[in-house]
Amino acid sequence: MYRRELLRLLGALAFSRSIYASPARGKIVSIGLQLYTVRAALAADFDATLAHVAAIGYREVEFAGYFGHGAREVRASLERAGLVAPSAHISLDAIGNGWAGVIENALAIGHRYLVVASAEGVTAIDGYQRVAERLNRAGEVAQQAGVRLGYHNHAVEFAPLAGKLPYDVLLAATAPQYVCFEMDLYWITQGGQSPLTYFTRWPGRIELVHVKDAAAAPPHRIADVGAGMIDWRRILASATRAGVKHFFVEHDDAPDPFASIRASYAYLYELRF
C-alpha cells in the first residue's frame, strides 16, 4: 500500500510539473489561403490550381474572383479538391445595386463571409463615414440572409485624415451585428500601427486576418510567412484571444507563388503560440 501511494504521489507531482513546465500551446487549426496569391495559375487551370493548393495542406481558401466560373462550377471544383471557401473578396460597388444577387451567388458556393477588398478612391474622412453607412445597410441585408459582411484594409486606412485614422472611423461607425473586419497584418504594419492594439481595443470585431510577412529592411516588402520581421507567435496568440476565426496566407507578388505558399504553410503548421 505504501508503494502504491508513493507511486500515486510521484505521478501527481510529475503531472503538476508538466502543466507548468509545458503549458498547452495554441496553433492554427485550419490554415487558409487567399487565392489572389495564385491568381495567374487559377486563370490558366482552375481545377488543377485548387488541387495543388489542397495537396500542400490548405483546407480553406478565400476567393478574389472566379475567373469566369459560375457558382455551381466553383462549388464542384472546391468539393473535388477537398476545400471549403468560407470567404470571398468583393468590390465596394458590389454592395450597391445587385447586392441580393451577390449574396445568392455566395450562398450557392458556400461562403459565410463577403469582404469588401478596399474603399479605393476615398480620400476624405467624411467619405469613410459614408462608406461605413453603406456597409451597415448592406451588412443588415447580408445578415438576414446568413452571410457576414466584412471590410479588408490596406495601409491607407492608417494614414491620418483630419486628425483621425480612417480605420478607426470605420470600426466606430459600423454596427458589430452587421459588419466585421478582415485585418491584413502586413498592411497595418506598413501603415505604422500595431495589430495588438486593435485586437485588445476591439475584441470580436476582427473575424478574419491575412497572414503575410514583412521583410526587415525598408521598404519592408511582402515576405513568406516566417521569413520576415513580424512576431507571429505574439500576434496570432492575441488574434485568437480576440476572436479571429479564419487565417488566410497571402503574398501579393511572389516570384514563385507555389513555393511561397508551401513555405508559409510549413511555417504556420509547425508554429505554436
Side-chain angles (χ1 to χ4, degrees), residues 8-238:
R8 185 187 69 78
L9 290 171
L10 288 173
L13 178 60
F15 178 71
S16 66
R17 281 178 177 170
S18 71
I19 291 174
Y20 292 103
S22 302
R25 306 297 293 274
K27 69 171 292 185
I28 300 175
V29 175
S30 184
I31 303 169
L33 177 69
Q34 164 50 257
L35 290 171
Y36 182 76
T37 311
V38 293
R39 58 195 179 278
L42 275 175
D45 193 327
F46 196 82
D47 275 10
T49 300
L50 292 180
H52 195 165
V53 167
I56 290 170
Y58 291 95
R59 290 295 172 261
E60 295 187 349
V61 293
E62 180 179 57
F63 278 94
Y66 305 110
F67 302 90
H69 294 74
R72 289 184 180 179
E73 293 177 286
V74 173
R75 184 160 193 151
S77 293
L78 288 167
E79 289 174 354
R80 283 193 293 271
L83 295 168
V84 294
S87 179
H89 272 202
I90 57 174
S91 69
L92 184 60
D93 289 342
I95 66 173
N97 294 332
W99 179 224
V102 174
I103 294 171
E104 183 180 358
N105 192 68
L107 291 170
I109 294 170
H111 300 323
R112 299 192 302 276
Y113 293 86
L114 288 170
V115 180
V116 173
S118 73
E120 189 175 1
V122 178
T123 58
I125 206 68
D126 60 344
Y128 282 100
Q129 184 68 46
R130 289 192 293 273
V131 168
E133 293 167 1
R134 291 180 64 186
L135 290 170
N136 280 331
R137 290 194 296 271
E140 183 176 7
V141 174
Q143 188 263 350
Q144 291 169 356
V147 174
R148 288 285 279 161
L149 178 62
Y151 182 87
H152 166 271
N153 65 277
H154 291 84
V156 67
E157 288 88 352
F158 301 98
L161 291 173
K164 298 179 180 180
L165 297 184
Y167 200 72
D168 293 351
V169 170
L170 291 172
L171 276 164
T174 51
Q177 66 269 36
Y178 299 142
V179 181
C180 68
F181 287 78
E182 179 177 61
M183 179 174 282
D184 190 303
L185 298 169
Y186 169 80
W187 287 118
I188 185 175
T189 302
Q190 276 287 70
Q193 300 297 319
S194 170
L196 300 173
T197 300
Y198 285 87
F199 292 145
T200 301
R201 188 183 299 162
W202 298 93
R205 293 303 309 276
I206 301 160
E207 297 187 20
L208 317 93
V209 292
H210 278 183
V211 185
K212 49 208 280 195
D213 217 331
H220 303 300
R221 291 189 174 89
I222 298 170
D224 297 342
V225 181
M229 65 176 186
I230 293 179
D231 183 349
W232 290 112
R233 283 189 174 85
R234 190 177 180 198
I235 285 178
L236 294 179
S238 180

